[in-house]
Amino acid sequence: MKPQITLLIVGLLAIPVLGLMIYRAASAPLPDGFPQPTPNGKIEVKQYPAYRSGTYTHKGKLSQAANESFRPLYQHISSNGIGMTAPVEARYPSITLQESPNGKPDEVGNAEVSFLYRNETVQPKQIAQGIKVENHPAVKVLSIGIRGPYTYMSYQENLERLRAWLAQHPSYVVSGLPRRFFYDSPFIPDPFKRSEVQVPIK
């Protein structure tokens, strides 16, 4: 076999290995007691423990909530020496639970975006204007795992899948606001980004 072909094969085999290394290196730890991310395409019922967060309220296009909230939240944890965890949480208004078969990429409202603290003992010494520290109770959710870009259309499409599941399982009812978990940093290529769409249930 020619040396050039051998090098090409070795290079192609190294790409997924390198991608996996970057994937692991860029992933922050989960908050204490949090379950592992739901696998891509799987729908499951999950139980989350109580947790604490620093939260910023975004007002405007819901599709921009996570991006526009990142800077004030990152400044908050940086100024307080708080370690980054994953996922980042975005809680969307109840209007997004309504069916939107044609999609509404410019849907507006208030979304609460949170950086989650590692545990409930974390207490920031300084809290900037626009940031609030919240304690969240334990919650049971219906979750779907997603692999791919963090688009608002992806949120809507997967929320529709959860609605369809709930229609087939009437023993469960929605008991709170829908949310999305974003697990990976911007350095992860879009096809490998992990997220979940969840609705609280009882």
Side-chain angles (χ1 to χ4, degrees):
M1 185 179 294
K2 293 183 178 180
Q4 295 90 337
I5 297 177
T6 302
L7 288 174
L8 177 61
I9 293 173
V10 171
L12 290 173
L13 291 174
I15 289 174
V17 176
L18 179 61
L20 181 61
M21 293 172 62
I22 295 174
Y23 174 82
R24 289 178 173 172
S27 297
L30 296 168
D32 291 348
F34 265 44
Q36 291 297 311
T38 298
N40 181 41
K42 182 178 180 179
I43 295 178
E44 62 180 349
V45 175
K46 304 173 74 171
Q47 181 69 45
Y48 284 85
Y51 62 100
R52 176 174 290 178
S53 71
T55 299
Y56 178 85
T57 300
H58 165 84
K59 300 178 181 180
K61 289 184 178 181
L62 297 178
S63 60
Q64 299 300 313
N67 288 337
E68 294 189 4
S69 301
F70 186 88
R71 181 183 294 274
L73 287 170
Y74 186 75
Q75 290 176 341
H76 168 69
I77 63 170
S78 297
S79 62
N80 285 284
I82 298 173
M84 185 75 177
T85 65
V88 173
E89 178 188 43
R91 296 185 299 279
Y92 296 102
S94 58
I95 58 169
T96 64
L97 285 168
Q98 301 171 7
E99 291 188 31
S100 52
N102 298 322
K104 297 179 180 177
D106 293 328
E107 199 162 29
V108 298
N110 293 351
E112 294 188 323
V113 182
S114 300
F115 277 11
L116 312 185
Y117 301 155
R118 188 66 183 267
N119 54 57
E120 293 183 283
T121 66
V122 175
Q123 182 58 55
K125 295 181 180 180
Q126 50 185 330
I127 303 173
Q129 185 175 0
I131 301 292
K132 59 182 176 180
V133 175
E134 295 183 301
N135 292 319
H136 306 268
V139 63
K140 180 181 291 185
V141 303
L142 181 67
S143 179
I144 182 169
I146 306 165
R147 180 70 57 84
Y150 291 160
T151 64
Y152 189 65
M153 185 172 291
S154 169
Y155 164 74
Q156 293 174 311
E157 290 172 350
N158 284 282
L159 189 59
E160 177 61 34
R161 293 186 176 100
L162 295 184
R163 280 196 295 264
W165 189 96
L166 287 167
Q168 297 174 359
H169 300 80
S171 59
Y172 292 100
V173 294
V174 176
S175 60
L177 297 178
R179 68 183 183 183
R180 187 168 190 177
F181 276 169
F182 305 94
Y183 283 98
D184 292 307
S185 78
F187 301 105
I188 298 297
D190 278 353
F192 301 105
K193 284 185 168 75
R194 300 165 301 159
S195 63
E196 292 179 64
V197 172
Q198 301 180 342
V199 290
I201 55 173
K202 62 180 181 181

